[in-house]
Amino acid sequence: MLSKSFTYNNTYIISIIDNISLIERELQPYSHFDDYRSVFNSKEWILAYCKIYTPKEIIFVKATKTNIYFLLEIKDQEIHILGDPFNDYNLLFIPPNDFMGILYLLKSKTNKSIKINCLASPLPVRLQNYRKDIGLKWHELEETICISPKLQKMYNRDKSKMLFFRVTPSDELFQSILSKLLLWRIDVLKTKNNEGNEDSINERFSRFITTLCLNESIKDNIFIDYGICGDEIVSIGFNFIHHKNILYYLRWCSHSSNRHSYGLLHDIMSMNLSLNMGYDNIDFARGNEAYKYRLGLVEYNLYNYEI
């Protein structure tokens, strides 16, 4: 059932939808993962999210003259970009003034407050006045990896201690390694700020990622890197490919009792391989973890906005 529909400046159709099958129909023309401007805006991501999390009301915004769209979700008394908090960040797909106008129109139509996060730079000054909290987004934009001499020395000394592999969904090991990563994620959250006490929440996220990977149209755009020391897997990274860019989405490594870091060894090996394969950008996503500074990545601001 289509709840209601209206337009903004005759250039955008805004529909509030409570039936996921209608979202699937709207996205049907997008046949390939590379049709989208972002992993988090893809048909595969959106439909997997809807299947597992079953949002009750979705706001579908589509330009009338182009194929640009984005989706929002009504949660209780608030409007968020669909998929938060699992979208590591959100991009702005339309002119900033249009985006701001649509948000104010939605606020007046629904009487809901709006809480979104987007990259800071494209947003107009008026919307920036509503900025609340600062997060971080990272990119490695260089053709070569710019790491400190100390870190390079560690890598040269210890790289022979870890074997490094890359697998895709077509490889037999892919699913078992993904399952191991998701289980480790739950264990880490249980010991960090008690975030893992809600087992059902974390199990649902695992089902979401597993469902996402089952899409045939996304299988060429996913890979897992992992490292082995001795007979044990000591690092795993779950990543997306979008055009000539790579997004590092989930990452885990075991603690090392030696001077070297499995995580840093993993990251440098993965970055070297990706850049040698011809990828342009490597996105380490949101977060200000210390290892990102050590890898010499470029920092971008990501802001939360409340209206």
Side-chain angles (χ1 to χ4, degrees):
M1 178 183 295
L2 184 64
S3 300
K4 64 176 68 173
S5 183
F6 43 91
T7 62
Y8 174 76
N9 282 355
N10 294 320
T11 54
Y12 299 92
I13 299 174
I14 305 169
S15 303
I16 301 179
I17 298 173
D18 59 9
N19 189 324
I20 293 174
S21 63
L22 294 177
I23 298 293
E24 189 171 4
R25 188 178 69 186
E26 290 282 356
L27 298 178
Q28 195 62 41
Y30 300 87
S31 59
H32 193 272
F33 188 74
D34 283 341
D35 289 343
Y36 313 103
R37 298 190 174 196
S38 164
V39 169
F40 307 122
N41 195 51
S42 68
K43 174 175 65 177
E44 292 82 359
W45 183 274
I46 289 167
L47 294 182
Y49 177 85
C50 290
K51 181 177 181 179
I52 301 302
Y53 292 96
T54 59
K56 294 181 179 179
E57 289 185 291
I58 301 171
I59 301 170
F60 189 92
V61 182
K62 184 177 181 180
T64 56
K65 296 182 180 179
T66 69
N67 63 351
I68 293 175
Y69 69 86
F70 62 92
L71 289 92
L72 305 169
E73 177 182 0
I74 300 177
K75 292 182 180 179
D76 299 323
Q77 297 301 310
E78 297 176 353
I79 295 176
H80 305 263
I81 291 182
L82 186 78
D84 271 344
F86 306 123
N87 305 353
D88 247 43
Y89 56 85
N90 298 297
L91 301 177
L92 194 60
F93 301 115
I94 63 175
N97 289 333
D98 288 350
F99 185 68
M100 183 178 67
I102 289 171
L103 294 183
Y104 277 103
L105 178 61
L106 284 170
K107 184 174 177 64
S108 67
K109 292 281 188 180
T110 64
N111 199 31
K112 310 286 187 184
S113 60
I114 295 175
K115 293 186 177 181
I116 63 170
N117 70 70
C118 279
L119 285 184
S121 55
L123 293 176
V125 172
R126 185 181 175 192
L127 187 55
Q128 289 182 11
N129 291 335
Y130 293 90
R131 187 173 71 218
K132 298 296 181 183
D133 301 312
I134 297 178
L136 294 170
K137 178 195 169 193
W138 305 81
H139 276 292
E140 168 56 59
L141 299 178
E142 305 295 334
E143 294 181 358
T144 57
I145 301 174
C146 299
I147 60 177
S148 68
K150 182 178 179 180
L151 189 56
Q152 184 68 54
K153 182 179 179 180
M154 182 276 291
Y155 174 72
N156 292 338
R157 183 192 67 217
D158 297 331
K159 61 183 178 181
S160 62
K161 298 177 182 178
M162 188 175 83
L163 299 176
F164 182 82
F165 302 92
R166 178 167 292 185
V167 294
T168 67
S170 61
D171 296 306
E172 291 184 5
L173 288 174
F174 180 89
Q175 191 57 52
S176 63
I177 296 175
L178 176 61
S179 297
K180 187 182 293 289
L181 172 62
L182 295 172
L183 288 173
W184 276 333
R185 175 184 178 273
I186 292 175
D187 289 340
V188 170
L189 291 176
K190 283 182 177 180
T191 58
K192 180 182 179 182
N193 301 325
N194 295 318
E195 293 178 21
N197 290 337
E198 297 290 341
D199 287 343
S200 61
I201 294 175
N202 293 299
E203 289 169 2
R204 183 179 288 188
F205 176 80
S206 296
R207 286 192 286 118
F208 163 57
I209 294 297
T210 302
T211 300
L212 176 68
C213 293
L214 293 176
N215 283 285
E216 289 292 331
S217 55
I218 202 176
K219 287 188 174 181
D220 290 337
N221 300 86
I222 296 175
F223 67 90
I224 287 177
D225 289 336
Y226 66 100
I228 293 180
C229 184
D231 296 326
E232 295 185 6
I233 294 178
V234 294
S235 65
I236 304 178
F238 174 78
N239 317 291
F240 293 101
I241 301 170
H242 188 244
H243 298 297
K244 299 293 286 183
N245 308 312
I246 289 178
L247 169 67
Y248 287 176
Y249 185 64
L250 292 176
R251 178 184 182 275
W252 173 91
C253 65
S254 65
H255 294 290
S256 171
S257 59
N258 299 316
R259 290 179 297 169
H260 60 272
S261 162
Y262 292 131
L264 287 171
L265 286 174
H266 176 107
D267 290 333
I268 296 172
M269 289 178 179
S270 179
M271 293 166 72
N272 274 327
L273 177 59
S274 297
L275 294 173
N276 288 336
M277 292 175 68
Y279 293 105
D280 294 331
N281 301 329
I282 301 175
D283 185 344
F284 275 72
R286 178 170 52 189
N288 60 349
E289 296 89 345
Y291 77 89
K292 296 179 181 179
Y293 290 96
R294 294 185 68 186
L295 289 170
L297 306 185
V298 180
E299 174 183 332
Y300 293 83
N301 285 328
L302 177 70
Y303 295 118
N304 294 326
Y305 297 85
E306 299 183 7
I307 298 177

